[in-house]
Amino acid sequence: MMAQSKALLVLENFIGGKFIPCSSYIDSYNPSTGDVYCKVPDSGKEEVEAAVKAAKDAFPIWSSKSPLERSQILNKLADLIEHDLEAFAQAESKDQGKTITLARTMDIPRAVYNFRFFASSILHHITECTEMANMGCVHYTSRAPVGVAGLISPWNLPLYLLTWKIAPAIACGNTVVAKPSEMTSVTAWMMCKLLEKAGVPHGVVNIVFGTGAKAGEALVCHPDVPLISFTGSTLTAQRIMEKSAPHCKRLSLELGGKNPAIIFDDADLSQCIPTTLRSSFANQGEICLCTSRIFVQRGIYSEFLKRFVAEAKKWKTGNPSDPTVSVGALISKEHLEKVRNYVKKAQAEGARVLCGEGVDALDLPPGYQKGYFMLPTVITEVKDESCCMQEEIFGPVTCVVAFDTEEEVIRRANGVKYGLAATVWSSNVGRVHRVARRLQSGLVWTNCWLVRDLNLPFGGMKASGIGREGAKDSYEFFTEVKTITIKH
Ligand code: NAD
């Protein structure tokens, strides 16, 4: 036992520029083997208190630096992460279960880019000014950082989403206390080791590891944290709203989705099919933007389904480090069970499973048999009211159904509580504009998926969130605006 525990990676909180051990720890699993490989601090009120104090102490100096000084530090941090890209990618894949290919080509490059992007955008904001000549007045707005920002991130894109919050928060002059998911904390801890070298002053970025119920709630309830940026599930967001209400905190909530793809009969299927496979199964379907309801116009329904299922069967599932593998492991045993249960429920309701779970054999290499793997699964003949068409499954499961008219598909696509992302496939320009305008969705991609310009707003409608993130939106969220009137 002792020999095994010595080999475990043990993380420490990062508070005021120092790594600080915790009195108790949580086991963290390697999802592709099912083994415990890491101990994550089980922080609570005491650790959060220390981190908030360090962040408060660092605020006066950090907030008084010029945007250019902060920008240079963010760029340095980006360079350092990029220098260690391979080590970060390996760690992310091992910790989260995602394929090494995705970690190398998407997660870590995007974490680097998040710092570079906000390092640049912070230099280009302008405030407003108006004149009332008849009153002899000019009005202008001034923006200032808010203070200590509380940042809470999920497990599906660990460093990618954490840095999407840290970068704009500190670029604007705030100091932060961040809490990554207890299931994927390793890359955040690795990044802490680079902060000093990048020139980030002690206390500007503090990371407290632990569960949502203990560390997360302590942060949400802390009176000296006026702002919470949260990405995660709608259920947790409801709890955060309740807990932060007595303090009237500013909240940004990026939540779940039940994203439709609408495929009209004039779609270019040679583009649409590979992209819709990616949008359904990339990162094991564990991306908030993943497609899980595919509406196909009746004229091409049979052809689409046949080709889509044939291609889905080609996606190799298994060892995430194997470069030929496209589907890695799901995050946890419990999550795998939850996703499998959705498939069982659909079958019990009379739906048909065309490939994947329960239909095809999962052939795992030695050493990976206890991992949390599941084949890409396509369900059809499923009713719109079914839980598989209404609830976020967050796994490699997608439903394909037929539709007849534009009016009908808009109504059905909008018939869920979520409103995060939608894709529309058609070669009719008028139609894609018309449909995009009527979809209740914060993001609409036509004839593509996940093509992002970070300048523009990102976020969801309805139960998918409150607020938007992006160059201007994050700047507005992480700063407090004041209107000043000068009479001359
Ligand atoms: P989750 O809500 O369970 O946890 C998210 C984070 O909140 C974790 O760090 C967790 O420890 C913390 N947390 C949990 N309970 C808390 C509490 N009471 N107080 C404070 N913090 C608490 O979500 P998850 O399972 O980690 O992530 C998956 C969800 O995230 C999915 O619903 C997915 O759609 C969503 N998501 C949304 C986006 C987006 O940008 N809209 C991006 C990625 C993931």
Side-chain angles (χ1 to χ4, degrees), residues 152-156 161 179-182 210-213 216-217 220 230-233 236 239-240 254-257 288 392 394 420 458 464:
I152 301 177
S153 57
W155 49 257
N156 63 327
L161 287 175
K179 194 208 80 66
S181 167
E182 59 276 30
T211 65
E217 270 196 39
V220 168
F230 168 79
T231 300
S233 65
T236 305
R239 175 100 183 145
I240 289 177
E254 296 289 350
L255 314 177
C288 54
E392 184 184 47
F394 219 53
L420 185 56
F458 175 94
S464 290

Side-chain angles (χ1 to χ4, degrees), residues 261-267 269 272 276 294-298 300 304 403 409 423-426:
I262 300 176
I263 303 171
F264 287 98
D265 56 13
D266 58 354
L269 290 186
C272 169
T276 308
I294 305 176
F295 295 93
V296 187
Q297 204 158 20
R298 194 145 334 250
I300 57 162
F304 175 89
F403 75 90
V409 78
T423 50
V424 180
W425 291 86
S426 170

Side-chain angles (χ1 to χ4, degrees), residues 186-447:
V186 173
T187 49
W189 172 78
M190 287 169 70
M191 186 185 69
C192 294
K193 297 188 195 182
L194 304 177
L195 294 175
E196 186 160 344
K197 200 165 169 198
V200 179
H202 291 178
V204 172
V205 175
N206 305 277
I207 306 223
V208 173
F209 299 101
T211 65
K214 264 175 81 181
E217 270 196 39
L219 188 55
V220 168
C221 296
H222 199 293
D224 295 337
V225 179
L227 163 163
I228 299 286
S229 172
F230 168 79
T231 300
S233 65
T234 303
L235 208 62
T236 305
Q238 287 164 349
R239 175 100 183 145
I240 289 177
M241 280 193 269
E242 268 175 40
K243 289 281 160 184
S244 61
H247 304 279
C248 294
K249 294 198 182 197
R250 182 185 297 201
L251 299 179
S252 167
L253 305 172
E254 296 289 350
L255 314 177
K258 189 68 195 171
N259 311 308
I262 300 176
I263 303 171
F264 287 98
D265 56 13
D266 58 354
D268 175 356
L269 290 186
S270 69
Q271 300 283 322
C272 169
I273 289 175
T275 305
T276 308
L277 283 159
R278 270 198 315 118
S279 74
S280 299
F281 304 128
N283 205 45
Q284 302 73 245
E286 295 169 328
I287 302 181
C288 54
L289 306 166
C290 274
T291 302
S292 56
R293 295 181 294 146
I294 305 176
F295 295 93
V296 187
Q297 204 158 20
R298 194 145 334 250
I300 57 162
Y301 178 72
S302 303
E303 184 198 349
F304 175 89
L305 201 57
K306 199 166 127 210
R307 286 170 62 179
F308 187 77
V309 170
E311 291 301 316
K313 281 174 179 266
K314 291 184 191 160
W315 277 48
K316 190 169 159 190
T317 301
N319 175 5
S321 305
D322 176 346
T324 66
V325 160
S326 305
V327 184
L330 274 71
I331 185 67
S332 67
K333 204 172 178 174
E334 295 72 25
H335 188 59
L336 174 65
E337 271 320 298
K338 183 182 145 194
V339 176
R340 281 187 171 149
N341 275 333
Y342 272 108
V343 181
K344 284 193 196 123
K345 279 189 212 163
Q347 280 171 314
E349 288 170 0
R352 276 180 64 208
V353 180
L354 298 185
C355 66
E357 177 68 15
V359 173
D360 300 302
L362 181 56
D363 183 19
L364 295 169
Y368 294 90
Q369 263 119 22
K370 283 196 260 152
Y372 317 133
F373 295 97
M374 179 172 170
L375 291 168
T377 299
V378 180
I379 302 178
T380 189
E381 293 173 32
V382 56
K383 294 198 175 67
D384 286 6
E385 309 75 58
S386 160
C387 59
C388 283
M389 288 285 280
Q390 291 291 323
E391 294 170 24
E392 184 184 47
I393 299 177
F394 219 53
V397 178
T398 197
C399 299
V400 186
V401 292
F403 75 90
D404 292 297
T405 67
E406 186 179 311
E407 197 61 30
E408 169 205 340
V409 78
I410 293 169
R411 178 180 47 76
R412 292 172 66 191
N414 288 341
V416 292
K417 69 174 181 177
Y418 294 106
L420 185 56
T423 50
V424 180
W425 291 86
S426 170
S427 49
N428 178 332
V429 177
R431 173 148 66 192
V432 294
H433 283 288
R434 212 163 49 229
V435 174
R437 282 187 64 81
R438 292 185 58 199
L439 287 173
Q440 293 167 350
S441 183
L443 303 143
V444 180
W445 280 292
T446 70
N447 300 321

Side-chain angles (χ1 to χ4, degrees), residues 52-205:
V52 172
K53 182 177 181 314
K56 268 179 85 176
D57 291 348
F59 181 73
I61 290 181
W62 182 248
S63 57
S64 62
K65 284 194 188 295
S66 71
L68 184 60
E69 282 174 290
R70 294 198 292 261
S71 168
Q72 283 163 342
I73 292 172
L74 262 69
N75 274 322
K76 184 81 205 286
L77 183 56
D79 293 345
L80 292 170
I81 298 172
E82 192 171 49
H83 180 268
D84 291 349
L85 192 144
E86 184 56 24
F88 273 99
Q90 296 280 352
E92 203 73 301
S93 169
K94 185 172 183 179
D95 205 25
Q96 203 274 341
K98 66 179 68 234
T99 64
I100 184 68
T101 310
L102 202 65
R104 256 185 213 139
T105 57
M106 185 181 80
D107 289 73
I108 309 304
R110 173 60 191 274
V112 170
Y113 188 59
N114 284 338
F115 284 111
R116 291 213 175 113
F117 177 80
F118 285 104
S120 164
S121 81
I122 195 64
L123 303 176
H124 304 291
H125 294 292
I126 50 169
T127 51
E128 297 148 295
C129 181
T130 60
E131 189 179 9
M132 272 182 182
N134 60 321
M135 301 287 290
C137 287
V138 289
H139 310 275
Y140 65 92
T141 58
S142 124
R143 284 197 171 265
V146 183
V148 179
L151 313 177
I152 301 177
S153 57
W155 49 257
N156 63 327
L157 301 169
L159 195 65
Y160 174 134
L161 287 175
L162 184 70
T163 53
W164 175 238
K165 296 183 184 304
I166 293 179
I170 65 172
C172 292
N174 301 283
T175 55
V176 308
V177 176
K179 194 208 80 66
S181 167
E182 59 276 30
M183 286 188 271
T184 52
S185 296
V186 173
T187 49
W189 172 78
M190 287 169 70
M191 186 185 69
C192 294
K193 297 188 195 182
L194 304 177
L195 294 175
E196 186 160 344
K197 200 165 169 198
V200 179
H202 291 178
V204 172
V205 175

